[in-house]
């Protein structure tokens, strides 16, 4: 799901470095809201869970608006824009939680987001598949989705065609941030807490997964199926390194090397076109 969020902006020839820190900020913000509204002995669990989810989505919307307006209307480079929002999200998430996990979220939120199974399938998988199908339809079968490809492959053609280029570009960042918010809420339910380090290296991992799957950093090429393939590869690699008891810092080094390798392959593929 998070790789899908990254894919949306990559298709427009952008990227989102704020994805990981925004996951952490959304997790902390939603958890604090839920714990503040949760009554004694878990009373008001459902209203608290709904309010926390709404706050998480609002945080995501604000991040998307910030990135979208800066990139589309202020014409700030996507790298610089999302680097700034990355630090903003990191600072807000850490400040709100004082750098500590937020425990005590409603049981109803944890159940609906993670523990509940339908026909033996975890709800988190059902959410991911549902969002994935919706995103695939959006990118492949709607005018808005196809416009993201045009913005990435030939921005001038979009302008000549009279498309609202700035609004479409901003929409890409907003959709990406909202999708990130949904993923953050699911991860929060899985962790049963709001964690200021929940996002970790997700920004790098999602970029690596998308590019390895075939999404071009130059925009206009790739899709959700590409992102899914890359995500499976990164997940298997990460789990394999954990099972091999490879340290976290070494894993970061490996992930960085994979990104460089994937970017080099993308560059070679474009030169051969």
């Amino acid at each position: 799901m998070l790789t899908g969020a990254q894919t949306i902006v990559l298709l427009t020839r952008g990227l989102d470095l704020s994805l990981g820190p925004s996951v952490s900020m959304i997790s902390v913000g939603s958890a604090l809201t839920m714990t503040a509204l949760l009554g004694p002995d878990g009373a008001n669990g459902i209203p608290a869970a709904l309010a926390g989810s709404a706050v998480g989505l609002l945080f995501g919307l604000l991040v998307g608006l910030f990135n979208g307006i800066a990139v589309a209307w202020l014409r700030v480079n996507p790298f610089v824009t999302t680097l700034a929002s990355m630090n903003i999200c990191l600072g807000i998430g850490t400040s709100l939680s004082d750098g500590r996990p937020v425990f005590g979220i409603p049981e109803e939120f944890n159940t609906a987001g993670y523990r509940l199974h339908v026909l033996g399938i975890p709800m988190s998988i059902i959410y991911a598949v549902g969002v994935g199908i919706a995103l695939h339809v959006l990118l492949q079968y709607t005018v808005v989705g196809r416009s993201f490809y045009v913005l990435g492959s030939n921005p001038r053609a979009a302008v000549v065609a009279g498309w609202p280029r700035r609004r479409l570009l901003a929409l890409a960042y907003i959709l990406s941030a909202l999708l990130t918010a949904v993923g953050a809420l699911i991860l929060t339910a899985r962790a049963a807490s709001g964690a200021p380090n929940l996002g970790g290296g997700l920004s790098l991992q999602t970029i690596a997964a998308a590019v390895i799957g075939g999404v071009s950093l130059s925009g206009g090429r790739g899709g959700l199926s590409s992102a899914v393939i890359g995500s499976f590869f990164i997940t298997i690699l990460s789990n394999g390194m954990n099972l091999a008891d490879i340290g976290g810092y070494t894993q970061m080094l490996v992930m960085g090397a994979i990104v460089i390798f994937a970017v080099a392959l993308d560059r070679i593929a474009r030169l051969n076109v």
Side-chain angles (χ1 to χ4, degrees), residues 212 231-243 246 251 254-255 258:
I212 288 172
S231 295
F232 277 128
F233 175 81
I234 292 296
T235 301
I236 293 171
L237 177 64
S238 179
N239 290 339
M241 289 191 292
N242 288 330
L243 290 174
I246 297 176
Q251 291 190 30
V254 172
M255 203 62 65
I258 289 174

Side-chain angles (χ1 to χ4, degrees), residues 74-86:
L74 301 181
R75 299 184 180 181
V76 182
N77 183 279
F79 177 87
V80 176
T81 297
T82 58
L83 182 64
S85 57
M86 176 187 77

Side-chain angles (χ1 to χ4, degrees), residues 20-261:
S22 67
V23 166
S24 301
M25 179 186 69
I26 292 166
S27 176
V28 168
S30 60
L32 286 173
T33 302
M34 287 185 277
T35 54
L37 297 176
L38 191 63
D41 299 323
N44 303 323
I46 294 178
L50 292 174
S53 299
V55 168
L57 292 174
L58 177 60
F59 274 24
L61 176 62
L62 292 175
V63 173
L65 284 171
F66 177 88
N67 289 338
I69 291 173
V71 172
W73 275 279
L74 301 181
R75 299 184 180 181
V76 182
N77 183 279
F79 177 87
V80 176
T81 297
T82 58
L83 182 64
S85 57
M86 176 187 77
N87 284 283
I88 293 171
C89 292
L90 187 61
I92 292 175
T94 305
S95 298
L96 290 175
S97 64
D98 290 327
R100 296 189 294 268
V102 180
F103 295 104
I105 64 175
E107 186 67 25
E108 291 85 351
F109 179 79
N110 180 252
T111 299
Y114 179 63
R115 289 186 178 180
L116 183 64
H117 287 62
V118 177
L119 300 177
I121 304 174
M123 281 304 298
S124 56
I125 300 297
I126 295 175
Y127 292 143
V129 171
V131 171
I133 292 173
L135 182 57
H136 177 73
V137 171
L138 172 70
L139 293 177
Q140 299 298 327
Y141 301 106
T142 68
V143 175
V144 171
R146 301 310 300 175
S147 70
F148 293 158
Y149 285 89
V150 177
L151 287 175
S153 60
N154 194 345
R156 186 177 295 275
V159 175
V160 172
W163 289 4
R165 177 181 173 275
R166 293 181 180 179
R167 278 184 287 175
L168 289 170
L169 190 56
L171 179 61
Y173 282 91
I174 292 171
L175 288 176
S176 175
L178 287 174
L179 194 55
T180 298
V182 174
L185 291 172
I186 294 174
L187 289 175
T188 301
R190 180 179 180 180
S193 65
N197 62 346
L198 185 63
L202 287 177
S203 297
L204 183 63
Q205 290 178 20
T206 53
I207 293 173
V211 175
I212 288 172
V215 179
S216 175
L217 284 174
S218 299
R221 183 164 60 87
L224 186 63
S225 57
S226 304
V228 170
I229 293 172
S231 295
F232 277 128
F233 175 81
I234 292 296
T235 301
I236 293 171
L237 177 64
S238 179
N239 290 339
M241 289 191 292
N242 288 330
L243 290 174
D245 199 24
I246 297 176
Y249 295 116
T250 304
Q251 291 190 30
M252 292 173 63
L253 188 152
V254 172
M255 203 62 65
I258 289 174
V259 171
I260 294 175
F261 178 72

